[in-house]
Amino acid sequence: MQRGDVKAFNQLFDEFYAPLFYYSRHLVREEEEAKDIVLSGLYKCWERRGQFEDYQHIRSFLYLVVRNEGLNHLKKEQREATRLHDFLLSAELTEREEDYLATEAEVLKKVYKAVENLPDKCRRVFELTYLEEKSVAEIAELLQISASNVAVQRHRAVQLLRLALTDVPLALLYVCINLMKR
Amino acid sequence: MDRPSFDIEVLLFKALQGSLNEEETAWLEAWKAQKPDNSAFAEQLKNPERLTGKLRFYAAHNQEAARQEAIRHLFPQRRTIPLFRWVAAAAVFVVMAVGAWLWMGRSGVDKSGHGIAEATGIAPGHEGAVLTLADGSQLLLDTVKNGVVALQNGVTARIINGSLHYEGTGAGMAYNTMSTPKGRLFQLTLPDGTQVWLNSASAIRYPLVFKGAKREVSITGEAYFEVAANAHQPFVVVVAGRAEVQVLGTHFNVNAYDNEHQIAATLLEGAVQVKKLEAGNASVILQPGQQALLNEGAGINLVKVADIDKVMAWKNGLFNFEGASLQDVMRQLERWYDIEVVFEEPMPAITFGGKMTKGMALNDLLEALKGVEGTDIQFRMEEGRKLIVSRRK
């Protein structure tokens, strides 16, 4: 990141934007505000890019900045007073070391990376299933593949990711069988 | 993982996958035992429904728009990376035809040796020019960095560090023409010590020896002069056969591309008189910082405060697009990158701002253009170094 060029910035962005956005969305709810806060954090990080020792250092800095800006934003908005209160209670954000939300964001980042590494069709099916909650029939239509193929890809995705996700395949296999009967 | 890591997020992820080894499992359990909150957190993350929900929430980021915004924000401040600002207007322009231009007695462009354009890598222009000697023979000056170029009539032309210098006095009257094709820049020193910088697609014709009452040269395209002082022999630049700039000893820039709609002469230091060589011979005297604009037919426009920065940008290795239209920008790119720009359809009127270094590859430049919000311009390269400009459907 020492090079001050677009490519280096893109790398920083790719690594941190999504989890930071997840984090900041939990703080401020409004998408636009959340995005601005994250970008502001990234800009600050970028300005100081010569000063970071390692990855952890950068990561801690970013979450810290985003958290502070998020809290500042909440404090500024009078009507957010109750939410700030709720947030502090429910998000277990009592001390810096216990930033569960940040940890969660980082875990999700890994999960999402694993999803992105799936083979193309498999990934598409996975996204349509879990993220967009489409039915097998809808997916089959969208991707122009058979319903059984959809089920196969789903199963494959879950296998590859080896994640304990909602046990959708079983239920849908049932639906598939029914569809195919007609 | 190439080395063991005990970051909690790594362990939690592995726990989700069920890929923890013994050591890691122990570590995670110890962490969970540290406090009830830790344990609760780990458990709720494992819940399949909650995990799916969270993943969905995570995936709902409009990353690309944010990325563009960030890049626009960070990189115009940096001198090295260029960006454009656009201001869209309401009107729609008719397609502008791409014109050819005339060099001194030559027509068309010699495209041989340029090869087929590839999707990646149209390199920016660089130094180099073609010297046409009095006898018509031509010399490509790209490859000659230092050395003697031509020996004619007792006059030596020497290349020093990539720029041409004339020396010596000779008999007879012979002319040379220095021309730059598209994508080339060149600097030369005339026999009287006057320095000339030629922009792409430009030419200057000059005698090997300045004899007579005046020192006269002719140019087309764009050139910047630092004229050696000589009160007894005024320096005259004939511009594209349509105007004349008479100087005593000064620094000035003349822009006279055939496919630009006007001739512009800008004075930096000294004093010049700019005269039209047609329709009434209107003339004007420029002070430093002023610019004369000559159009077909009409008289001469005097700009009292010229944007010197913009006028001189080309010589300083930059494009300066302040107030330029899309067509203006494309014409400049045509000359520098040696491409032909074709507008596939009428484009909206857009005004640019900003500067840019000329040293970038065309593709990077176009990427920067495409990345600007609120625009729908598309580019594609075709064979024969053609850049097609269209609108995104």
Side-chain angles (χ1 to χ4, degrees), chain A residues 112-128:
Chain A
Y112 199 72
K113 261 193 200 160
V115 171
E116 286 183 319
N117 284 333
L118 290 173
D120 273 346
K121 205 184 336 185
C122 189
R123 189 194 75 238
R124 250 343 246 142
V125 171
F126 178 86
E127 285 171 353
L128 288 167

Side-chain angles (χ1 to χ4, degrees), chain A residues 4 9-10 13-14 17-19 22 35 43 56 59 98 100 104 109 112 130-131 133 161-162 166, chain B residues 7 9 16-17 35 37-38 41 44 48 52 54 56-58 61 63 66-67 69-70 73-75:
Chain A
F9 178 75
N10 268 319
F13 185 90
D14 285 336
Y17 182 79
Y22 178 84
K35 174 203 69 166
Y43 299 156
Q56 308 286 30
R59 184 170 65 180
E98 305 191 77
Y100 292 113
E104 186 170 279
K109 175 166 80 177
Y112 199 72
Y130 290 100
L131 304 182
E133 298 184 278
L161 293 173
R162 289 176 293 153
T166 334
Chain B
D7 286 342
E9 54 269 354
L16 285 178
Q17 287 194 318
K35 53 169 86 158
D37 284 343
N38 287 357
F41 176 69
Q44 58 95 41
T52 309
K54 285 178 210 275
R56 206 172 290 138
F57 193 78
Y58 182 94
H61 55 247
Q63 185 164 285
R67 184 202 301 273
E69 187 183 323
H73 181 266
L74 285 180
F75 292 96

Side-chain angles (χ1 to χ4, degrees), chain B residues 42-285:
Chain B
E43 284 310 311
Q44 58 95 41
L45 198 58
K46 275 207 267 189
N47 177 310
E49 247 143 51
R50 295 197 70 175
L51 180 59
T52 309
K54 285 178 210 275
L55 192 56
R56 206 172 290 138
F57 193 78
Y58 182 94
H61 55 247
N62 192 351
Q63 185 164 285
E64 288 315 308
R67 184 202 301 273
Q68 295 307 334
E69 187 183 323
I71 291 183
R72 275 203 311 277
H73 181 266
L74 285 180
F75 292 96
Q77 326 294 43
R78 312 252 157 204
R79 195 182 53 82
T80 50
I81 305 291
L83 274 177
F84 295 110
R85 293 176 281 111
W86 295 37
V87 174
V92 173
F93 276 166
V94 169
V95 167
M96 187 206 76
V98 173
W101 61 94
L102 294 171
W103 295 357
M104 310 301 304
R106 311 178 76 74
S107 58
V109 184
D110 177 12
K111 283 200 158 118
S112 63
H114 284 301
I116 308 288
E118 290 160 22
T120 57
I122 293 236
H126 55 95
E127 289 187 275
V130 173
L131 179 60
T132 307
L133 303 178
D135 62 2
S137 59
Q138 295 197 319
L139 224 69
L140 187 63
L141 295 176
D142 275 17
T143 49
V144 186
K145 269 293 169 194
N146 285 287
V148 174
V149 171
L151 208 55
Q152 312 158 58
N153 301 10
V155 177
T156 317
R158 201 182 287 274
I159 299 220
I160 301 171
N161 284 332
S163 82
L164 189 67
H165 299 258
Y166 280 85
E167 302 162 353
T169 54
M173 203 43 160
Y175 287 86
N176 276 179
T177 302
M178 171 72 65
S179 47
T180 50
K182 277 162 126 182
R184 296 284 196 276
L185 261 205
F186 204 73
Q187 190 207 347
L188 72 154
T189 306
L190 297 178
D192 67 338
T194 294
Q195 303 213 47
V196 184
W197 283 257
L198 277 184
N199 202 348
S200 315
S202 307
I204 177 170
R205 186 170 177 268
Y206 51 92
L208 292 185
V209 182
F210 284 118
K211 287 188 175 155
K214 297 191 287 189
R215 296 172 282 169
E216 192 176 289
V217 304
S218 307
I219 70 153
T220 55
E222 184 165 23
Y224 169 75
F225 294 85
E226 287 184 1
V227 177
N230 183 341
H232 305 294
Q233 219 185 13
F235 193 90
V236 175
V237 181
V238 175
V239 183
R242 305 209 314 259
E244 204 178 80
V245 179
Q246 176 143 332
V247 306
L248 283 177
T250 81
H251 301 181
F252 65 98
N253 192 76
V254 182
N255 183 318
Y257 285 111
D258 213 53
N259 64 351
E260 297 287 348
H261 53 86
Q262 62 192 6
I263 291 177
T266 312
L267 182 65
L268 278 77
E269 264 180 51
V272 303
Q273 181 194 55
V274 182
K275 184 164 83 170
K276 264 196 151 195
L277 289 179
E278 60 197 13
N281 287 20
S283 76
V284 87
I285 295 185

